[in-house]
Amino acid sequence: MIGVAVLGSTGSVGESTLDVLARHPDRFRLVAIAANTNAAKLAQQVLAWRPAYAALADERAARELRELLGAAVHTRVLAGGAALEEIAQAAEVQCVMAAIVGAAGLRSTLAAARAGKRLLLANKAGPLLIAEVKRSGATLLPIDSEHNAIFQCLPPGVIPGVAPAGLKRVLLTASGGPFRDTPGEALAAVTPEAALAHPNWVMGRKISVDSATLMNKGLEFIEACLLFGLTPAQVQVLVHPQSIVHSLVEYLDGSVLAQLSAPDMRTPIAHALAWPERISSGVEFLDLLKVGRLEFRAPDTARFPCLALAQAAARAGGLDPVVLNAANEVAVQAFLERRLNFPGIATVIEAVVQRSTGGAIGGLDDVLAADAEGRVRARERIDGITRSAAVRGAHA
Ligand code: NDP
């Protein structure tokens, strides 16, 4: 029995993970679940699974969880960010699903790597994580469907951060998001609801907006370079509206290997849970006759500048991707709260990255400081945009 911890269990990836685990009770034991504030959903999961630990990063929500569960349930309820790190390192846990959205998942993911766990990574990787994995000998398995696809197309025995011999480049596919065919001039008026209605995937709110801006592809671009030891020139982004080919790897002999499946996160999750074996995932099998056509086209970075901004950050390296990511998280939140329009997300990120001092990553403190700086600058920029809009409104 493999002991599993699901960090971010109340989210979209977390719930898909529980769905796959439920299909294999003879193989996996759910030891721990964790989230941020959603005490009600975590309580339901505790009652259904009876794990040894349940943690909420938010202390007040953890108190609510204790009240909801009462004394009869033996699950230990933990509170605070440190509790998530504790869970990630627990002796009964062999496998950690890291599915906390954004930079909030950084510490617990690093903790799992440091403890040498089998790490199923839905969060984005950074250089610190790759270094930690190499040092501890942890097994890193990417969950993002694109990186998981690339991993599946690589020869056995790949080392994180090291490109296998004979690899020419990677072709990273993108659905293009809900605004793939929306004219540039119409993007200023698109709503959060429209951005959240992804044509192919059901995902959390932040990543859905990132898919609409193509920032998700940009962050994946950065991560592909890190995970597989590639230069930015070795990664090409292709828009593939059907989301059936999840990415491709081209070799020096001209062979191109691809991984195909229905767009459902349970496939990469099941792959990573059982690797190197294969288990059922509950996903519908692919009917290529029904799919009919597989199309590929170049991304339009004029309409979707976030992709180009992320590619520039990948080329610059160091702390630039950290600042970019932080500014994006703040800008996406402002868009969801209708304080910023859709093109404003890229405007804010560009302004923040341009003002950033960048620099090399010496350690976690540098990453946290750059993350904080990116957030402060993004908030300032958004306030500036909101103020000028108010002034324009007053003069109109
Ligand atoms: P969701 O928004 O659906 O879920 C986010 C999860 O993270 C929730 O469990 C949430 O808890 C938890 N969380 C948020 N903030 C904190 C915090 N400060 N401390 C602890 N837990 C926190 O996101 P997704 O499941 O869509 O995505 C999760 C990760 O996987 C992201 O990094 C995303 O980029 C990546 N990913 C997702 C894919 C998808 O298909 N959804 C595909 C590929 C990658 P609570 O409910 O309490 O707020």
Side-chain angles (χ1 to χ4, degrees):
M1 288 291 259
I2 298 167
V4 180
V6 180
L7 309 181
S9 63
T10 54
S12 165
V13 171
E15 289 197 297
S16 294
T17 306
L18 297 187
D19 183 282
V20 177
L21 292 176
R23 292 165 197 278
H24 303 280
D26 50 328
R27 202 173 175 121
F28 303 105
R29 187 164 49 90
L30 186 67
V31 174
I33 49 180
N36 188 23
T37 54
N38 196 341
K41 198 186 267 188
L42 206 70
Q44 282 171 11
Q45 292 178 342
V46 168
L47 294 175
W49 287 88
R50 307 283 168 151
Y53 307 96
L56 283 167
D58 185 273
E59 312 253 350
R60 214 176 50 184
R63 278 198 297 278
E64 192 188 331
L65 177 65
R66 282 195 194 100
E67 281 162 25
L68 285 169
L69 293 176
V73 178
H74 296 300
T75 296
R76 226 180 106 202
V77 175
L78 307 171
L84 273 65
E85 290 176 58
E86 198 184 312
I87 280 180
Q89 301 177 76
E92 310 94 295
V93 170
Q94 286 86 49
C95 174
V96 175
M97 164 59 80
I100 289 173
V101 66
L106 185 62
R107 284 181 188 275
S108 50
T109 307
L110 277 172
R114 204 174 301 124
K117 305 291 185 193
R118 180 187 183 101
L119 179 57
L120 276 48
L121 187 70
N123 300 103
K124 305 288 182 258
L128 287 182
L129 181 70
I130 302 289
E132 202 59 79
V133 165
K134 281 187 181 161
R135 200 196 52 71
S136 69
T139 306
L140 182 62
L141 293 157
I143 291 296
D144 223 330
S145 59
E146 293 77 3
H147 303 105
N148 183 270
I150 296 165
F151 182 84
Q152 292 200 42
C153 296
L154 294 179
V158 285
I159 301 165
V162 180
L167 183 149
K168 183 167 181 285
R169 63 180 181 151
V170 154
L171 304 165
L172 195 64
T173 54
S175 69
F179 309 134
R180 188 175 55 221
D181 301 314
T182 306
E185 58 279 13
L187 288 175
V190 300
T191 61
E193 289 73 21
L196 292 174
H198 195 281
N200 305 344
W201 294 94
V202 179
M203 304 183 288
R205 287 159 65 80
K206 191 257 176 189
I207 187 174
S208 295
V209 177
D210 285 349
S211 292
T213 60
L214 291 199
M215 179 54 97
N216 185 44
K217 211 46 53 183
L219 295 173
E220 287 174 11
F221 181 98
I222 295 169
E223 191 179 17
C225 295
L226 282 168
L227 276 179
F228 305 114
L230 306 171
T231 64
Q234 284 179 293
V235 183
Q236 185 187 355
V237 175
L238 293 178
V239 172
H240 166 49
Q242 291 82 12
S243 295
I244 295 293
V245 179
H246 298 298
S247 277
L248 312 91
V249 177
E250 184 173 20
Y251 288 93
L252 290 177
D253 61 6
S255 299
V256 178
L257 303 192
Q259 186 264 344
L260 286 71
S261 62
D264 187 320
M265 286 305 290
R266 290 176 299 172
T267 292
I269 290 167
H271 167 264
L273 276 169
W275 180 86
E277 292 172 26
R278 298 271 180 178
I279 54 171
S280 61
S281 63
V283 173
E284 204 183 312
F285 288 102
L286 193 58
D287 182 345
L288 281 174
L289 290 178
K290 226 187 229 162
V291 175
R293 277 191 331 176
L294 298 175
E295 297 160 286
F296 301 94
R297 51 174 119 133
D300 180 352
T301 48
R303 275 188 306 142
F304 301 106
C306 283
L307 175 59
L309 290 170
Q311 288 171 317
R315 285 190 291 273
L319 289 164
D320 274 35
V322 178
V323 175
L324 172 109
N325 177 66
N328 179 55
E329 284 190 28
V330 173
V332 167
Q333 189 58 35
F335 169 69
L336 286 170
E337 290 166 5
R338 296 173 209 276
R339 290 184 286 116
L340 192 64
N341 70 8
F342 186 79
I345 298 175
T347 309
V348 167
I349 298 166
E350 184 171 19
V352 173
V353 173
Q354 267 173 5
R355 280 184 63 199
S356 154
T357 40
I361 298 180
L364 182 58
D365 287 347
D366 296 335
V367 172
L368 296 176
D371 178 78
E373 181 200 312
R375 283 168 202 274
V376 169
R377 294 247 161 97
R379 282 189 200 106
E380 285 169 1
R381 182 75 192 156
I382 292 163
D383 288 347
I385 293 174
T386 318
R387 269 197 307 273
S388 357
V391 170
R392 274 199 307 277
H395 288 302

